[in-house]
Amino acid sequence: MAPRKSVLKLANVERHYGQGETTLSILKGADFELRTGEIVALVAPSGTGKSTLLHLAGLLEHPDSGEVFVGGRSCNDLPDDQRTAIRRSEIGFVYQFHHLLPEFSAIENIMMPQLIGGLSKAEAKERAAQLLDYMRIGHRAEHRPAELSGGEQQRVAIARAVANAPRVLLADEPTGNLDPKTASYVFDALEALVRQSGLAALIATHNHELAARMDRRVTLEAGKVVEF
């Protein structure tokens, strides 16, 4: 079997907030690597830096030192427009709360990032319909978010996150707002999508049962990423 490619790497990353005596050091020389086709659980107590790590990995923040690589390319010194382009084309985001656009249907929500990326309306709609079918909610394509259950909304959010075929999926407590049965069902759909597409996923979760189903588990200790 060919070795998996590195799609996301944080090398000796540090992130601090504040100034002088009020400086709060969140990440202190953190190293992490994510490879194609794997799902990694990030399990750590609140306040230890999970969101900061995801923001750095998703190019939403700059590290104070160290480097962030996406697809083998250092992104530290790229201008903002290039960082934005990488986020749109190579990184998908899923949050605890789905953040779907309430005035648009499920299929329109999934079409939106594709249209922004330059796809035609017909191509975007076809891709969105395929993703809805894959997530087993094709019959809900024309429903608006308020007409969908929590699990259905989150499956739409996952489909939207991968609509542009990114290299990396970053998820911050994607099942945290769901009951255990629905959370397991949503994770089943997410896992199948990752395995089928070959992308890589880093998922922050407090759900230890779901974390145990992933390929690796990492935590944050004293500002560093530690595998367990």
Side-chain angles (χ1 to χ4, degrees):
M1 181 182 294
R4 292 175 171 179
K5 289 184 178 180
S6 173
V7 292
L8 173 68
K9 184 177 180 180
L10 277 65
N12 199 30
V13 164
E14 300 204 358
R15 189 70 174 103
H16 315 288
Y17 297 99
Q19 293 181 336
E21 295 181 0
T22 60
T23 297
L24 182 63
S25 296
I26 302 297
L27 297 178
K28 308 172 189 176
D31 295 298
F32 175 73
E33 190 165 17
L34 187 66
R35 298 177 181 86
T36 53
E38 70 172 351
I39 305 177
V40 177
L42 174 58
V43 184
S46 298
T48 55
K50 292 196 305 295
S51 293
T52 296
L53 182 69
L54 289 172
H55 288 172
L56 291 169
L59 307 184
L60 295 170
E61 293 185 27
H62 290 267
D64 292 302
S65 63
E67 287 192 87
V68 178
F69 299 85
V70 177
R73 180 185 187 186
S74 175
C75 298
N76 281 28
D77 298 325
L78 295 178
D80 287 343
D81 61 336
Q82 289 188 36
R83 288 169 64 90
T84 298
I86 291 172
R87 279 199 303 273
R88 285 178 178 170
S89 64
E90 301 194 36
I91 303 171
F93 297 90
V94 181
Y95 301 97
Q96 180 174 350
F97 299 99
H98 50 78
H99 298 301
L100 299 175
L101 298 172
E103 65 271 31
F104 294 102
S105 67
I107 196 166
E108 288 170 337
N109 267 277
I110 301 168
M111 289 171 63
M112 201 67 64
Q114 300 177 78
L115 295 173
I116 293 171
L119 242 61
S120 70
K121 187 174 181 179
E123 290 173 316
K125 189 169 185 177
E126 181 179 6
R127 166 77 170 159
Q130 289 172 348
L131 286 168
L132 283 169
D133 286 340
Y134 198 85
M135 300 299 283
R136 300 180 182 178
I137 49 172
H139 61 294
R140 308 289 274 167
E142 301 301 331
H143 290 73
R144 294 186 179 184
E147 301 170 310
L148 303 173
S149 70
E152 288 171 339
Q153 290 174 17
Q154 200 62 310
R155 278 183 276 166
V156 173
I158 292 167
R160 180 183 60 182
V162 301
N164 282 336
R167 294 174 185 261
V168 179
L169 179 67
L170 301 175
D172 194 356
E173 297 289 348
T175 63
N177 203 37
L178 305 173
D179 64 80
K181 184 177 180 180
T182 304
S184 180
Y185 194 81
V186 168
F187 181 79
D188 288 344
L190 188 156
E191 181 182 25
L193 194 58
V194 170
R195 302 302 187 199
Q196 183 269 341
S197 63
L199 60 82
L202 174 61
I203 302 174
T205 181
H206 283 103
N207 188 322
H208 288 272
E209 289 185 9
L210 292 185
R213 294 171 56 184
M214 301 188 207
D215 299 318
R216 293 191 286 132
R217 289 176 288 172
V218 299
T219 189
L220 289 165
E221 293 181 1
K224 296 183 181 295
V225 179
V226 179
E227 191 160 346
F228 68 100

